[in-house]
Amino acid sequence: MKLHTETAAGAEGATAVLADAFGLTEAEAEARRRRGEANTAVRGGSRGYGEILRTNVFSFFNLVLFVIGATLLALGRYSDALISVGLGLINAVISTVQEVRAKRKLDQLQLLERTTVVVVRDGVERTIGPDRVVRGDMLRVRSGDQIVVDGPLLAGGRVEADESLLTGEADPVVKEPGDVLLSGSHCVAGDGHQLARDVGAHSHAGRLTAQARRTSTDVTPLQRRIEFVVRLVMLLTTLMSGAIIAQAALEGFTLLRVVQITAVLSGLIPYGLFFLIALAYTTGAVRIARRGALVQQVNAVESVSNVDVVCTDKTGTLTTGNLTLTEVVPLSGETSGENGDRAAAALGGFARSVTAPNLTSAAIAAALPGEAWTVRDEVPFTSSLRWSGLRTDGGTWVLGAPAALLPEVPEAVADRTREGLRVLILARAAGLRDVDGRPRLTGVEPVALVALADELRGDVVETVARFREDGVTLKVLSGDDPRTVAAIAARAGLDVGEPVRGADLDDLDDARLDDLVDRTTVFGRVAPEHKERIVRSLRRQGRYVAMIGDGVNDARALKQAQVGVAMRSGSAVTRDVADIVLTGDSFAVLPPAREEGRRIIGGIGISLYVFLARVGSQGLVILAVTMLGLGFPYTPTQVGLTLFTVGIPTAFLTFWAAPARPDPHLLRNLGRFVLPAAIVTAGFGTAIYTALYQGISRGFSSGRTPAEVIHEFERYTGLTYGTDTGFAVAAATIGAQTGLSTFFCYASFLLILFLAPPARFFAAWTAPTGDRRPAILVVALMVAFSAVLLVPALWSYFGLTGPAGPVFEVVLLSLVPWFAALSLAYRYRVLERLLGLSR
């Protein structure tokens, strides 16, 4: 007969349909495919390439740089243009490549295997691809098949479905006619036909895939702070730029000069911090990979250091997934001595004789002696029977759950169950089957109680202790019985308290849920939506959450957590959505990963001090010099010297930094360091610039002819003036700029010694580190920059003059009082006392 799919969508209709149904015709299937009712793979879900490119390349800051660069190119200032826009482009390329790689991984994510399936078309079974299945098709389901659509099991069928990846439930679920089979589960036993009710994006697997593909990258606390600092500097720079450019327009500056000023001012923005963070994250990811953790989202290296609560499943994280035999207790006359040995030998023989070994039989066989028996008949274990049996020459033996074998469960079983043990009964039986050959026990006589325990991972106790010492809370979310989970968690060293069932969360509002989650350690019988709600509750409470999982049922919670961690042995979907994959399947790598993240925090923190000290000093000098009417103290090419003052130092300091906890007062401490450094350095820098500017200007009245002065400065600068018109101003400006840049470079190098003092002499800001590498770096940078001043091609490229005695004399003589003044300012907190903040 023909299958009427529209009336058979529900359980009642499904039950009424016979297994020998005709199915759809090919014409009907093709019509439904054209209507969009096919089981097509879920596509998209993440941001498009155009949006990724637009947001990363054409940001507000990059647009400003591009306009400046285009103008400089039009005016023939190619070096200035390269310095102005190069760093922004590098940042844009790095961020774009990272997001494109993440998008490709998410877009390729599929929960369903793309294997063939069997459908009934025109009354005949046909093998087709899963994407050719349409709504209303009848599918043949056999042991070993993956379910590819949602829909009820039809009449005449009976199967066992493994839904562990979807729900976390470890045991197969028996499906009777009318019960719904979920896409993404596997048939492990039985045979039947399924009606394709929900297909494609509407199926359970399709919805999970779409949810897993959503882009949900969290910005880390450090990234947020740096973004705030950069935006603040951008705002201040914009206000300063408006005032200076307005003044330049009133004084009649040329278009080239205005563009150069704008390029210099935009260079004050510490955009290089983003590049430095990307570099530090990449290096940290390489270090963590050596310990057994693959970082898939680069900021997870830093993010994991902020975690204060870890949510984890039981199996695969706390336990290995294997069982160990803990005791065999003889029953019914098998009380002790020889009888007890016979019970153990029988149990060992039983375990070695089953034809389909599982975790239970493997654990027993590994622990007990015994010889394999000659088996005359066997009933394999199924979740519906909850027992397995063997008929041998020496009798009939059964091993199964106490409730399935005994009319009344002994108290000894309940006691061991409360301890988290799995309890089985070994028994003799008169028969395994009824007269029709179906499994049915008769004459059951218990022989021994068998207790097995989940095997804890070897490093789990130590790891839990390390988390506790570090102030990290652990919460166990499992699909198993809460009492079993609590017992195992206690063995791992957790303070379990009162365990809670997932069903107890269903009727709670957010406030009551938050209270329960806050005081509960163990949650059992939890569904995927429960795990997601628990993670969201923790985030509402201000906690920084890492979620560890291995199944598809964990994917939603992993996406919701700030740090998603997957096991390598877990499902492909979970690995694809995770920020970190534990390649050794051990969460013992997380504490070392936290240390690496803290190392990055410490390094970026030091770099932030260096960046902002440079920005504050240069900004104040620009304001002071402009207000004094002494021209403009920098050119865009001179801004390129930040490679020496910021770029190279911060890279090394980041890699050498010791682990540091996240600083909740980072912005306040930045102010305490940066303001004195900026004020003192800018004061000395302005004085140096003014002295050189005035001294060079007066040089024209020293008795030399303008031609002689022009010739000398042309030799120093490599520039051709051709006439002495305006040369006094140009010569004074380039000479003063050279002195200012030289002072700033040497001062920036010495500033490193305040942040990482190698000895007590430099410990005005912080305690000595004992690390000599920063001091060696300072010496190396001073030598390298001195070489720049001595090589004509280099000093000309950076818009400086050559080696001039007066410049060096002024700069070197100023460094000593500058160092002394800054040391006093830090040591006695002069600025804080002046502002009344030291009380």
Side-chain angles (χ1 to χ4, degrees):
M1 72 177 186
K2 186 175 179 179
L3 174 65
H4 298 284
T5 59
E6 301 301 333
T7 60
E12 295 180 0
T15 306
V17 179
L18 299 178
D20 61 349
F22 188 80
L24 295 177
T25 65
E26 284 292 343
E28 289 175 325
E30 183 61 31
R32 295 185 181 214
R33 187 177 301 110
R34 288 196 298 267
R35 293 203 302 265
E37 297 181 8
N39 190 44
T40 54
V42 177
R43 303 185 184 278
S46 57
R47 294 205 301 171
Y49 291 110
E51 185 179 358
I52 292 173
L53 186 67
R54 183 173 63 255
T55 55
N56 286 288
V57 177
F58 299 103
S59 64
F60 171 76
F61 180 73
N62 281 350
L63 287 175
V64 173
L65 289 181
F66 294 158
V67 171
I68 294 171
T71 307
L72 289 171
L73 286 173
L75 296 172
R77 309 294 294 188
Y78 304 113
S79 297
D80 292 349
L82 179 63
I83 294 295
S84 298
V85 303
L87 189 58
L89 284 176
I90 291 174
N91 281 312
V93 169
I94 291 175
S95 57
T96 300
V97 169
Q98 289 175 346
E99 191 163 352
V100 166
R101 288 178 59 189
K103 171 183 169 54
R104 287 179 176 174
K105 180 180 288 290
L106 288 177
D107 287 350
Q108 293 170 0
L109 184 151
Q110 287 290 345
L111 177 59
L112 297 179
E113 303 165 1
R114 309 317 291 177
T115 55
T116 57
V117 296
V118 177
V119 299
V120 179
R121 296 266 178 88
D122 296 315
V124 179
E125 290 188 351
R126 301 185 182 184
T127 301
I128 62 175
D131 58 330
R132 305 293 294 175
V133 176
V134 299
R135 183 176 180 271
D137 259 327
M138 180 168 38
L139 288 77
R140 177 76 179 274
V141 179
R142 295 166 295 188
S143 179
D145 290 345
Q146 185 184 41
I147 311 301
V148 299
V149 296
D150 294 352
L153 184 68
L154 302 180
R158 188 174 185 276
V159 302
E160 293 185 22
D162 179 3
E163 298 179 346
S164 58
L165 288 179
L166 302 178
T167 64
E169 177 60 54
D171 297 327
V173 180
V174 177
K175 299 289 185 177
E176 303 287 351
D179 293 338
V180 174
L181 298 176
L182 294 176
S183 53
S185 61
H186 286 79
C187 176
V188 294
D191 193 347
H193 289 80
Q194 178 197 17
L195 173 67
R197 186 186 66 191
D198 300 320
V199 299
H202 301 289
S203 68
H204 188 75
R207 293 193 300 272
L208 282 177
T209 301
Q211 291 169 353
R213 286 185 176 182
R214 289 200 306 265
T215 304
S216 60
T217 302
D218 281 281
V219 178
T220 68
L222 183 60
Q223 287 177 317
R224 279 197 299 270
R225 291 188 181 113
I226 289 179
E227 186 176 354
F228 169 77
V229 169
V230 171
R231 289 180 179 274
L232 180 61
V233 173
M234 287 179 67
L235 176 61
L236 296 176
T237 302
T238 302
L239 296 175
M240 186 170 65
S241 300
I244 293 175
I245 292 175
Q247 181 182 357
L250 293 175
E251 294 179 3
F253 281 14
T254 62
L255 175 61
L256 172 60
R257 193 64 175 149
V258 171
V259 173
Q260 288 178 325
I261 291 173
T262 305
V264 170
L265 292 171
S266 63
L268 293 177
I269 300 172
Y271 204 54
L273 280 170
F274 294 119
F275 174 73
L276 183 65
I277 287 177
L279 186 62
Y281 284 167
T282 302
T283 305
V286 172
R287 289 174 176 169
I288 293 175
R290 297 173 186 154
R291 295 178 174 267
L294 175 64
V295 178
Q296 301 191 132
Q297 190 68 40
V298 289
N299 68 351
V301 181
E302 181 246 321
S303 192
V304 72
S305 67
N306 297 284
V307 169
D308 58 11
V309 58
V310 174
C311 298
T312 179
D313 199 353
K314 171 183 68 67
T315 305
T317 306
L318 300 181
T319 64
T320 62
N322 298 321
L323 297 173
T324 56
L325 181 67
T326 60
E327 61 177 336
V328 178
V329 181
L331 302 171
S332 299
E334 308 283 349
T335 55
S336 62
E338 184 179 344
N339 290 336
D341 294 339
R342 285 204 305 268
L347 185 61
F350 186 99
R352 284 174 171 79
S353 302
V354 294
T355 58
N358 52 29
L359 292 176
T360 300
S361 62
I364 294 173
L368 297 177
E371 298 292 334
W373 300 331
T374 300
V375 178
R376 302 302 180 186
D377 187 19
E378 179 179 7
V379 176
F381 176 85
T382 63
S383 58
S384 56
L385 290 175
R386 301 179 66 192
W387 58 267
S388 61
L390 299 174
R391 183 168 63 83
T392 70
D393 293 339
T396 301
W397 295 87
V398 181
L399 181 66
L405 302 183
L406 304 177
E408 185 176 342
V409 177
E411 185 62 28
V413 172
D415 292 340
R416 288 164 175 79
T417 301
R418 283 191 291 268
E419 296 174 3
L421 300 176
R422 300 189 182 189
V423 182
L424 301 174
I425 296 295
L426 175 68
R428 292 190 180 96
L432 295 179
R433 301 180 185 273
D434 60 15
V435 294
D436 297 323
R438 290 174 299 194
R440 183 179 179 183
L441 290 174
T442 56
V444 177
E445 179 186 348
V447 172
L449 180 151
V450 183
L452 301 103
D454 286 286
E455 183 182 62
L456 284 178
R457 288 192 173 275
D459 51 15
V460 70
V461 175
E462 179 184 355
T463 304
V464 168
R466 289 187 63 180
F467 275 130
R468 182 186 296 109
E469 293 171 2
D470 210 18
V472 178
T473 303
L474 268 78
K475 294 185 182 293
V476 184
L477 319 180
S478 175
D480 290 344
D481 185 272
R483 294 172 300 175
T484 302
V485 180
I488 292 172
R491 288 168 53 202
L494 291 171
D495 298 325
V496 296
E498 183 67 27
V500 171
R501 289 181 174 271
D504 297 336
L505 311 179
D506 292 337
D507 297 327
L508 299 180
D509 58 20
D510 287 349
R512 289 191 295 164
L513 177 66
D514 292 351
D515 178 67
L516 180 63
V517 168
D518 180 58
R519 53 186 170 84
T520 303
T521 300
V522 173
F523 297 86
R525 298 298 184 198
V526 290
E529 55 270 20
H530 294 140
K531 295 184 179 183
E532 185 180 21
R533 284 195 70 195
I534 291 170
V535 172
R536 291 171 65 180
S537 170
L538 290 167
R539 294 194 62 165
R540 276 197 306 271
Q541 299 173 54
R543 308 297 295 272
Y544 208 95
V545 186
M547 175 68 200
I548 306 176
D550 58 358
V552 177
N553 61 304
D554 298 316
R556 290 165 60 179
L558 261 67
K559 296 284 285 186
Q560 191 65 229
Q562 283 100 335
V563 183
V565 182
M567 297 292 188
R568 183 192 62 179
S569 59
S571 71
V573 171
T574 310
R575 293 196 303 270
D576 285 343
V577 304
D579 302 311
I580 298 175
V581 177
L582 303 181
T583 55
D585 279 348
S586 171
F587 81 142
V589 72
L590 289 183
R594 284 169 55 79
E595 288 298 299
E596 188 59 43
R598 288 178 174 177
R599 187 186 308 278
I600 290 174
I601 289 176
I604 296 296
I606 292 178
S607 301
L608 196 58
Y609 286 100
V610 175
F611 264 98
L612 294 184
R614 189 267 301 178
V615 170
S617 303
Q618 288 185 329
L620 291 177
V621 167
I622 290 172
L623 279 177
V625 170
T626 305
M627 292 174 62
L628 292 172
L630 302 178
F632 196 77
Y634 295 103
T635 65
T637 49
Q638 290 163 2
V639 175
L641 291 171
T642 55
L643 174 68
F644 293 96
T645 61
V646 175
I648 295 175
T650 54
F652 280 99
L653 291 173
T654 299
F655 300 146
W656 292 339
R661 290 179 178 272
D663 184 3
H665 308 297
L666 177 63
L667 298 180
R668 185 180 69 185
N669 290 331
L670 276 173
R672 291 180 53 232
F673 178 85
V674 170
L675 288 179
I679 293 172
V680 173
T681 306
F684 275 86
T686 302
I688 290 171
Y689 184 92
T690 303
L692 290 173
Y693 187 94
Q694 296 293 350
I696 295 172
S697 298
R698 288 195 298 268
F700 284 93
S701 61
S702 62
R704 292 183 296 172
T705 65
E708 291 174 334
V709 179
I710 290 172
H711 176 72
E712 181 179 353
F713 274 88
E714 284 180 345
R715 181 168 61 86
Y716 281 162
T717 64
L719 304 174
T720 300
Y721 291 93
T723 176
D724 61 349
T725 303
F727 177 72
V729 173
T733 300
I734 191 71
Q737 288 175 343
T738 299
L740 178 63
S741 295
T742 302
F743 170 76
F744 259 60
C745 285
Y746 287 134
S748 297
F749 303 152
L750 293 174
L751 197 63
I752 295 172
L753 299 179
F754 286 102
L755 291 168
R760 292 181 59 85
F761 177 76
F762 300 97
W765 166 256
T766 188
T769 63
D771 189 351
R772 305 294 178 183
R773 292 176 298 180
I776 297 172
L777 175 64
V778 170
V779 174
L781 289 170
M782 286 187 167
V783 172
F785 178 71
S786 299
V788 169
L789 297 176
L790 296 174
V791 178
L794 294 177
W795 55 252
S796 177
Y797 175 80
F798 287 110
L800 305 174
T801 65
V807 172
F808 277 97
E809 291 173 3
V810 172
V811 170
L812 294 178
L813 289 175
S814 300
L815 285 173
V816 175
W818 167 83
F819 186 86
L822 194 55
S823 296
L824 292 173
Y826 286 141
R827 201 175 296 274
Y828 297 103
R829 297 189 176 184
V830 174
L831 183 63
E832 295 176 62
R833 292 174 183 273
L834 291 175
L835 297 177
L837 301 177
S838 60
R839 300 172 183 172

